[in-house]
Amino acid sequence: MTVWDELVGQDRVREQLAAAAKDADALVTAVSDGKPLEQGSKMTHAWLFTGPPGSGRSTAARAFAAALQCTSPDRALGGEPGCGFCDGCHTSLIGTHADVQVIRTDLLSIGVKETRDLVRRAQLSPAVGRWQVIVMEDADRLTEGAGNVLLKAVEEPAPRTVWMLCAPSLEDVLPTIRSRCRHLTLGTPSVEAVADVLIRRDGVDPERAHSAARATQGHIGRARRLATDERARARRAAVLKVPLRIADVGGCLKAAQELIDTATDDAKQMAEEVDVKETEDLKAALGGVAGGRMPRGTAGAMKELEDKQKRRKTRTQRDSLDLALTELTGFYRDVLALQLGSRIAIANVDVQDSLDRIAESSTPAQTLRRIEAVIACRRAMDRNVAPLLAVEAMTMSLRAG
């Protein structure tokens, strides 16, 4: 098992990263031995991984980080870095390597303060590994100010520091930053490749694995959750019933409210799992006593934590709603394929009867307008329109066709 085994359906990207890791290993060895550096190296100090959700952007970045830290003795014999078994690879992949920092946010954005902390860390020499690696999984969530702070670090990095930024597309990153990075574009893995991973690695029943991979159209994370989480399957089934429940205004409003309630419940569940522990840990760190008053001067820290938890709850609710809207888009995409007699595979074969009913009772033009209504709802929430208002407007448009 190598570090690349988790990278599903991305052979071209894997080859590029493996070649860069080998050049990086040669570069570090040459520097430590006092030898001159070779020209034309495939290694560089800043990388930008782009691709649609589920393509494995962050997986590729973490695998590359592990390959850079690989300490396998096989490297000296001509083997490629990234064995997957040595201490450098193992600790990088599980997130405990001292010189690999993985940044992911459960908030709506990454601000200036967090980015400045990263930049300071990036100036340090590796503590135990061969490189200082910063993996930013949500580079598209950088605020403009945070992007400007990051720019300087990417322009003039420390000699042994590597930045790995992940975003859905090039346009999601400031032009000044992306122009200083080497680009790697990932594609959506095939349904067969995702199903194979679920069967081989997660022990999922083959029939369920293929059904989940087909329903999520190659999105690895969503496919795994759908295949292993009964609650996720129940939520998806409820979303796919929406097109049949909007025959009148009352049905539209009720369906919209239920979508919002489900998203709110998801946010509440996550808060119950995380917020209480975070709060208790902070109280203990600040010298608080269980059931007693907090020491003076700690109110600001507690308020900062409460604000962070509130922003995370908003992000969780929006992510849950966005997933529901993605599933609705997939439903109408299948309807359109049936109406046009397309040969593309149907994703939601488990609700074939519903697809047939909607396809027979509407026209392709109506289906396109319905897809546009779902997209308009997603854009409205990006502009901070009240979620319930945006979803109600969408369900009314879906009814009108």
Side-chain angles (χ1 to χ4, degrees):
M1 175 182 174
T2 69
V3 298
W4 313 110
D5 287 353
E6 296 286 310
L7 195 55
V8 180
Q10 310 291 349
D11 293 340
R12 177 184 54 81
V13 171
R14 171 176 174 167
E15 291 172 3
Q16 289 179 276
L17 292 178
K22 194 167 185 177
D23 282 358
D25 182 62
L27 188 150
V28 173
T29 302
V31 171
S32 61
D33 293 344
K35 298 177 181 178
L37 302 180
E38 296 183 7
Q39 297 298 316
S41 172
K42 297 180 177 65
M43 182 59 187
T44 189
H45 67 279
W47 298 77
L48 177 56
F49 297 81
T50 60
S55 58
R57 300 184 304 259
S58 58
T59 300
R62 289 196 300 269
F64 187 32
L68 293 179
Q69 304 291 12
C70 182
T71 56
S72 168
D74 292 341
R75 294 175 297 106
L77 303 176
E80 291 188 353
C83 65
F85 295 101
C86 70
D87 186 64
C89 288
H90 179 67
T91 55
S92 296
L93 291 175
I94 66 174
T96 59
H97 197 290
D99 296 314
V100 177
Q101 179 83 359
V102 179
I103 308 303
R104 61 176 68 89
T105 182
D106 47 16
L107 305 179
L108 296 175
S109 62
I110 300 175
V112 172
K113 182 178 181 297
E114 301 97 309
T115 308
R116 281 179 177 156
D117 291 341
L118 279 180
V119 170
R120 292 191 193 99
R121 177 189 174 103
Q123 299 305 312
L124 301 175
S125 298
V128 296
R130 301 165 70 78
W131 297 87
Q132 178 79 249
V133 182
I134 312 292
V135 179
M136 184 174 288
E137 294 189 354
D138 301 295
D140 54 308
R141 295 184 184 273
L142 284 165
T143 63
E144 185 176 354
N148 291 329
V149 170
L150 179 62
L151 175 61
K152 188 68 174 176
V154 173
E155 276 185 322
E156 301 175 4
R160 297 270 287 277
T161 294
V162 182
W163 287 91
M164 302 183 191
L165 312 180
C166 305
S169 70
L170 293 176
E171 289 71 27
D172 291 312
V173 181
L174 286 175
T176 48
I177 291 179
R178 66 176 184 248
S179 65
R180 290 160 174 81
C181 298
R182 183 168 297 173
H183 304 161
L184 281 178
T185 303
L186 289 78
T188 302
S190 67
V191 170
E192 291 73 18
V194 173
D196 178 67
V197 169
L198 294 178
I199 296 168
R200 175 170 46 84
R201 184 182 57 199
D202 300 304
V204 177
D205 174 75
E207 183 177 351
R208 176 169 290 177
H210 281 90
S211 176
R214 186 170 52 246
T216 57
Q217 290 295 284
H219 190 300
I220 302 171
R222 284 174 50 206
R224 180 182 293 115
R225 186 176 181 188
L226 194 61
T228 59
D229 187 347
E230 180 64 36
R231 192 165 178 262
R233 292 194 290 272
R235 183 163 52 247
R236 173 177 172 271
V239 170
L240 296 184
K241 290 179 181 177
V242 168
L244 299 177
R245 298 177 54 204
I246 52 176
D248 52 38
V249 173
C252 291
L253 300 181
K254 185 176 180 181
Q257 185 64 61
E258 289 178 358
L259 288 175
I260 295 297
D261 289 344
T262 299
T264 303
D265 288 344
D266 282 345
K268 182 178 179 181
Q269 182 185 26
M270 181 176 179
E272 291 175 350
E273 295 173 353
V274 178
D275 289 3
V276 174
K277 185 178 185 304
E278 275 186 346
T279 302
E280 293 302 321
D281 287 347
L282 181 59
K283 285 182 177 179
L286 295 175
V289 180
R293 296 181 63 180
M294 293 294 296
R296 288 185 178 182
T298 60
M302 295 302 298
K303 181 65 167 58
E304 184 178 350
L305 177 62
E306 290 173 5
D307 291 341
K308 175 185 175 183
Q309 291 172 344
K310 184 177 180 180
R311 293 195 301 271
R312 182 169 59 204
K313 185 175 180 180
T314 300
R315 160 85 187 270
T316 303
Q317 183 186 35
R318 289 189 181 182
D319 284 351
S320 180
L321 268 177
D322 191 67
L323 176 57
L325 298 180
T326 299
E327 289 168 343
L328 272 179
T329 304
F331 179 94
Y332 286 114
R333 170 260 193 195
D334 286 346
V335 169
L336 186 63
L338 292 174
Q339 291 172 329
L340 298 178
S342 172
R343 295 182 179 179
I344 65 172
I346 299 300
N348 299 289
V349 292
D350 51 329
V351 290
Q352 185 72 51
D353 291 345
S354 299
L355 295 173
D356 291 337
R357 286 177 59 183
I358 300 297
E360 292 170 1
S361 62
S362 61
T363 66
Q366 288 178 307
T367 303
L368 284 172
R369 287 195 292 270
R370 285 166 173 159
I371 292 174
E372 289 170 354
V374 179
I375 295 173
C377 181
R378 298 178 73 177
R379 289 174 177 165
M381 288 196 294
D382 284 341
R383 296 192 299 268
N384 291 322
V385 173
L388 180 58
L389 183 61
V391 176
E392 285 179 344
M394 179 195 71
T395 55
M396 293 295 288
S397 296
L398 294 179
R399 174 176 176 266

